[in-house]
Amino acid sequence: MGLTYDLIVHNIGQLILPRSSENPLKGKEMQDLAVSEDAALGVVNGRVAWLGSSSDSASFKALERIDAKGRVVSPGLVDPHTHLVFGGSREHELSLKQAGVPYLEILAKGGGILSTVSATKNASEEELFEKASFHLERMISYGVTTLEAKSGYGLDADTELKQLGVIQRLKEKYPVSIISTFLGAHAVPPAFKGKEDKFLEEMSLLFNEVKESGLAEYVDIFCETGVFTVDQSREFLQKAKEMGFGVKIHADEIDPLGGAELAVSLGAASADHLVAASDEGIKKLAEGNTVAVLLPGTTFYLGKDHYARARKMIEEGAAVALATDFNPGSCVTENLQMIMSLAALKLKMSAEEIWNAVTINAAHAIGKASEAGTLKIGRAADFVIWDVPNYKYIPYHYGVNHAQSVFRSGKLIWERMAYSGVQLSSAR
Ligand code: IZC
Ligand code: ZN
């Protein structure tokens, strides 16, 4: 009477097993990536129950067996920075971008984030839920099983809570793990121009309700020229910490204000963007355990020549993760695989660093490293079968979806459809 597995996946060409520990992988450690060849994995009750060689699994009893046909299997991807819930879209701003109008100038004129704020205020909770569901399903199709989602397109109590409520409903409906972040400090509403402190005070009045109702695990702020200063960000996030939230910062995206240094001094889970982070900021990141979440899709979408200095960060010893930054203005894609390609081409990260950056380090950036980001006995069996010959292939072949099937807790949640085979008799 041996054990019967619920599922055995065998004939895995390469099984990617990022190393997990209490701390994120830093510096040179990011180059370590365990890859088992001819591997198999066994699932019982939605959890990984066995990992080993494919031939050893042949004699196991299993209710279901999947032949991976020599493909790559990895842990489900983790997207640690998304603005998933919003109303409307901003395709009308593309011509402004083409004409060279800077992102912060569009925002200063009431467009950008503020245009999405109006659309989000005008949308019903149901509409926001439907729209976010559409984007979330697409993220899942790209192999994501854990993600972070932010509010920040309300900038008033009701609309911020409406957005967080939508994230709550997504958590209940979808079989993925979603970490929620309160980003009420995403922009300054026109009525508060010149009264930023007053606005932040108002947003901080929501901390209690958000905490009590479990609507967010993290608090984030856009620390940037023309938005919130380092001092304002420090005070706001300090209050959030005192209320028991984890903290994150949109740091040094456009100007080197010292957001990275602030993030480390606050013990933030992550400092995100960091395109303009100073040498000093990078040194500080290397000293602490704040994860540098890089968003090269945003730099690409904003048409900038200079990307975050990932090589310097890794050489100095920082922990780097990657995310989409999916949002309707500065990075309009749900495709984390595309970000992996940009990380290879623009950030010059190695394939091993990239895989660690979208799995275990991404999980650290959202406090989920004990549950997500690797496959280990006892962990939820969240994994992806990739239709690629080896793990280096995904950053290399860009812009498309390589996911074959996506599993959450051992259950298939998405699978690629085959060509229908239909013959059109008279197409012309
Ligand atoms: O809607 O433009 N950077 N926030 C800070 C964003 C980009 C999202 C947006
Ligand atoms: Zn963002």
Side-chain angles (χ1 to χ4, degrees):
M1 260 233 1
L3 173 66
T4 301
Y5 290 92
D6 294 327
L7 170 67
I8 292 276
V9 182
H10 64 105
N11 200 8
I12 300 172
Q14 292 185 332
L15 176 61
I16 299 177
L17 298 167
R19 187 151 64 76
S20 70
S21 72
E22 217 173 292
N23 295 325
L25 297 173
K26 295 175 74 176
K28 284 193 183 69
E29 293 169 349
M30 287 193 67
Q31 190 54 40
D32 293 350
L33 184 71
V35 178
S36 312
E37 312 230 312
D38 294 321
L41 72 87
V43 178
V44 175
N45 286 336
R47 301 201 164 261
V48 178
W50 178 83
L51 294 162
S53 82
S54 196
S55 54
D56 285 353
S57 74
S59 60
F60 293 179
K61 278 191 270 176
L63 300 179
E64 189 186 358
R65 242 170 225 287
I66 294 175
D67 181 352
K69 298 185 176 150
R71 295 183 175 107
V72 172
V73 170
S74 79
L77 302 186
V78 179
D79 191 340
H81 183 140
T82 85
H83 301 252
L84 178 61
V85 182
F86 56 85
S89 55
R90 308 212 305 249
E91 59 274 32
H92 55 276
E93 288 178 3
L94 200 50
S95 57
L96 295 174
K97 287 200 179 95
Q98 287 167 331
V101 185
Y103 176 82
L104 289 179
E105 198 175 313
I106 298 176
L107 175 60
K109 291 194 169 126
I113 296 172
L114 293 174
S115 123
T116 301
V117 168
S118 305
T120 306
K121 279 191 208 294
N122 292 332
S124 68
E125 186 183 317
E126 199 52 39
E127 284 163 345
L128 291 178
F129 178 73
E130 288 298 317
K131 199 169 154 60
S133 297
F134 173 84
H135 297 301
L136 176 57
E137 287 174 25
R138 189 173 274 154
M139 286 177 183
I140 293 168
S141 79
Y142 283 110
V144 171
T145 54
T146 298
L147 62 135
E148 184 252 20
K150 301 174 194 293
S151 68
Y153 293 120
L155 312 183
D156 66 36
D158 288 351
T159 318
E160 286 295 321
L161 294 172
K162 180 169 73 175
Q163 272 193 282
L164 293 174
V166 169
I167 298 173
Q168 198 60 37
R169 282 179 63 192
L170 294 170
K171 285 189 196 185
E172 285 158 17
K173 174 169 173 187
Y174 285 92
V176 290
S177 175
I178 306 178
I179 304 307
S180 178
T181 298
F182 173 51
L183 178 59
H186 191 192
V188 185
F192 284 88
K193 208 73 212 157
K195 292 181 276 187
E196 287 77 11
D197 290 329
K198 179 97 193 54
F199 174 67
L200 289 176
E201 202 182 311
E202 229 163 80
M203 284 296 117
S204 68
L205 291 178
L206 288 174
F207 287 170
N208 202 21
E209 182 171 352
V210 171
K211 190 75 203 168
E212 296 267 290
S213 43
L215 282 172
E217 285 91 350
Y218 287 92
V219 169
D220 192 349
I221 188 165
F222 192 13
C223 178
E224 189 58 69
T225 306
V227 193
F228 301 108
T229 65
V230 168
D231 285 343
Q232 286 165 338
S233 302
R234 182 184 301 108
E235 194 184 327
F236 186 72
L237 293 179
Q238 197 71 57
K239 269 192 211 164
K241 270 181 71 171
E242 282 159 20
M243 297 288 300
F245 290 101
V247 298
K248 297 176 156 283
I249 311 185
H250 279 68
D252 304 326
E253 176 181 358
I254 294 156
D255 291 323
L257 300 188
E261 293 89 324
L262 174 63
V264 178
S265 75
L266 287 170
S270 69
D272 303 45
H273 284 291
L274 302 171
V275 178
S278 67
D279 289 355
E280 185 53 31
I282 292 174
K283 275 213 172 66
K284 282 274 169 349
L285 285 166
E287 286 165 16
N289 278 323
T290 296
V291 179
V293 175
L294 305 186
L295 311 166
T298 308
T299 312
F300 170 75
Y301 201 80
L302 294 178
K304 300 267 176 77
D305 296 330
H306 295 288
Y307 284 73
R309 293 187 288 161
R311 284 265 49 93
K312 181 164 173 72
M313 290 176 196
I314 294 172
E315 272 151 29
E316 297 269 345
V320 170
L322 293 161
T324 56
D325 192 23
F326 172 65
N327 76 71
S330 65
C331 192
V332 197
T333 184
E334 300 92 339
N335 183 353
L336 192 54
Q337 296 167 51
M338 170 75 184
I339 305 307
M340 294 169 77
S341 293
L342 290 172
L345 298 168
K346 301 293 187 182
L347 305 183
K348 315 290 183 207
M349 288 170 67
S350 70
E352 293 78 13
E353 290 166 347
I354 290 169
W355 276 104
N356 282 321
V358 293
T359 54
I360 194 66
N361 274 10
H364 274 288
I366 53 176
K368 279 280 169 184
S370 59
E371 293 166 41
T374 192
L375 292 163
K376 258 191 186 173
I377 291 175
R379 283 199 182 207
D382 299 350
F383 61 93
V384 182
I385 303 179
W386 302 97
D387 192 10
V388 297
N390 59 69
Y391 70 93
K392 295 190 177 182
Y393 191 92
I394 292 180
Y396 153 78
H397 184 155
Y398 82 101
V400 297
N401 190 4
H402 297 287
Q404 174 74 34
S405 32
V406 182
F407 292 80
R408 160 74 174 176
S409 295
K411 296 263 185 308
L412 181 70
I413 59 169
W414 184 85
E415 188 168 31
R416 192 174 68 196
M417 266 176 76
Y419 171 62
S420 73
V422 104
Q423 299 284 321
L424 301 178
S425 51
S426 58
R428 267 173 270 254

